[in-house]
Amino acid sequence: MDNKKIAVVTGGSRGIGKEIAVKLAEEAYVIVNYNGSEEKAAQVVREIKDKGGNAEAVKCNVASFKECEKFIGDIVERFGKIDILVNNAGINKDGLILSMSEEDFDSVINTNLKGTFNCIKFVSKSMIKNRYGKIINISSISGVAGNPGQANYAASKAGIIGLAKRIINVNTIVPGFIMTEMTDVLGDKVKENILSQIPLKRFGTPQNVAELAAFLASDKSSYITGQVINLDGGMIM
C-alpha cells in the first residue's frame, strides 16, 4: 500500500454513499461498507477499479457496537490508520407517530444515530493518535426542519448534527431532497409541492453531495470544523 489516504464510507453500496465512495477513490483507498447487499457493494468496488482506483467491500451493521468495534479495529490494524470517515449509512421506516411501532423507531435511531456514534467512537482514537482525520456526517434536511411521518428519521438526523463537533475535523452535510431510491417513491404531487419550496427549482443529485464530501475530506478544508452545511437548493435559509 502506497501513501494513499484510507477512507471508510458507511452505507457505500448505493445512492449518496456510492457516489461519495466513487469520488473519494480518486484520491484514497476506499472501504465500501455495506450491510444488506453484497452484490451492490461489489459493483461499486468494480466501478472504482474500472476507473483506476482501489477499493474493497466490507460488511458491517453499524448499528451493532461490537460489529463496529471489529470493523474499524480490523481496518486500523491492517493499514495503521483511517484518514477519512463518512458516516452515511441510514434507513427510513416512515409512519405517523401514533401508529409507529417501537421497533421501527428503534431500528432507525440505532442505524442512523447510534451507527454514527459507533463509528466516530472507534475511529477517533486512531485519528487523534495520528493527529489527522476527517469525519463527515451525512444528516438530512428532515433533521433541521422535520417532516410529517418521519419522527424517527428526523430525530435520528437531528441527533447527528449535535453528536460531535470537536474531534479532529468533523463536519456535517445536510442534504435536501436528493434524487435517490428514497425519494423515487414519492408521488408526482408530492414532488411538485417540494419543488415549489426550493428556490433553485430542482432536486439535488448524489453527485452534488459527493463533491462537497470530497472537499471536506481533502486538505483544502483543513481549517473547517464543527460546521453544518446545508445542501438543499436554498430550501432553508
Side-chain angles (χ1 to χ4, degrees):
M1 179 64 62
D2 55 24
N3 291 324
K4 270 194 172 184
K5 292 178 180 176
I6 305 300
V8 174
V9 181
T10 69
S13 65
R14 61 180 182 173
I16 290 173
K18 171 190 173 182
E19 293 302 326
I20 291 174
V22 171
K23 183 64 179 177
L24 292 183
E26 294 176 6
E27 303 291 339
Y29 184 96
V30 177
I31 309 295
V32 179
N33 161 252
Y34 70 96
N35 185 39
S37 177
E38 182 178 5
E39 178 53 33
K40 285 185 178 180
Q43 288 175 1
V44 176
V45 171
R46 286 196 293 270
E47 181 176 338
I48 288 171
K49 290 184 175 180
D50 287 344
K51 292 181 177 181
N54 283 298
E56 64 183 271
V58 180
K59 183 176 182 179
C60 173
N61 176 10
V62 296
S64 167
F65 191 84
K66 290 296 184 183
E67 281 191 41
C68 223
E69 182 177 26
K70 185 177 188 307
F71 169 59
I72 297 296
D74 286 349
I75 296 169
V76 172
E77 184 176 352
R78 286 176 58 198
F79 299 105
K81 62 177 183 173
I82 292 175
D83 300 293
I84 302 161
L85 168 66
V86 180
N87 286 305
N88 168 76
I91 62 172
N92 66 322
K93 294 188 177 182
D94 297 348
L96 296 176
I97 197 166
L98 290 176
S99 58
M100 183 177 293
S101 68
E102 180 182 13
E103 179 184 2
D104 283 352
F105 185 86
D106 287 348
S107 62
V108 171
I109 293 294
N110 286 340
T111 297
N112 300 5
L113 180 55
K114 187 186 175 192
T116 299
F117 161 77
N118 288 341
C119 290
I120 290 175
K121 175 178 175 61
F122 293 119
V123 82
S124 58
K125 182 178 180 180
S126 170
M127 287 184 171
I128 291 170
K129 179 181 177 181
N130 291 328
R131 301 174 67 92
Y132 183 89
K134 298 294 186 77
I135 297 175
I136 301 158
N137 300 322
I138 307 298
S139 180
S140 167
I141 195 171
S142 294
V144 175
N147 204 33
Q150 288 194 318
N152 49 2
Y153 185 77
S156 71
K157 292 300 187 176
I160 287 172
I161 292 172
L163 182 61
K165 292 188 176 181
R166 291 182 175 85
I167 304 172
I168 318 297
N169 290 82
V170 184
N171 295 288
T172 299
I173 298 173
V174 181
F177 285 86
I178 306 298
M179 295 306 297
T180 65
E181 291 178 15
M182 283 189 179
T183 55
D184 285 345
V185 300
L186 299 175
D188 289 340
K189 288 186 177 180
V190 175
K191 289 180 180 179
E192 289 175 8
N193 180 56
I194 293 169
L195 281 172
S196 71
Q197 302 173 54
I198 301 175
L200 290 185
K201 301 302 178 186
R202 66 178 188 270
F203 292 119
T205 67
Q207 290 83 0
N208 293 146
V209 185
E211 291 286 351
L212 179 53
F215 169 71
L216 292 174
S218 74
D219 291 336
K220 295 176 181 178
S221 66
S222 62
Y223 203 55
I224 300 175
T225 192
Q227 301 305 304
V228 178
I229 304 172
N230 287 3
L231 190 69
D232 60 4
M235 193 171 184
I236 294 181
M237 294 188 179

